[in-house]
Amino acid sequence: MKNKTVIITGASSGIGKEVARYFIERESNVVMNSSNEENLKNTYEELGAPANAIYYAGDISKKETGKKLAQVAIEKF
């Protein structure tokens, strides 16, 4: 999974958080998403603010959020 880019929604807690941890530990590029920016930032920092991860808060049910997640992934990784 090294150097592969993944986008994970619901990444601020529960299963999404653990999926993010899994890919970060395997040196994948990770774009984390959640609708709650504060929780998402706290999770990112709890995971060690890794260089191979970035986060973007937004409601995934909105088309613009999906577009922004793809744009962030392309620009960062």
Side-chain angles (χ1 to χ4, degrees), residues 7-62:
I7 297 173
I8 302 168
T9 61
S12 66
S13 64
I15 293 170
K17 178 179 175 179
E18 294 309 312
V19 170
R21 182 188 318 272
Y22 175 88
F23 283 106
I24 289 167
E25 289 174 353
R26 281 150 185 82
E27 300 180 17
S28 296
N29 301 318
V30 178
V31 180
M32 300 168 59
N33 167 259
S34 174
S35 59
N36 186 308
E37 186 169 7
E38 183 178 345
N39 289 348
L40 185 59
K41 181 180 179 189
N42 289 340
T43 297
Y44 174 76
E45 291 172 357
E46 181 184 325
L47 295 175
N52 63 320
I54 192 168
Y55 65 92
Y56 178 78
D59 182 350
I60 195 63
S61 71
K62 307 259 190 257

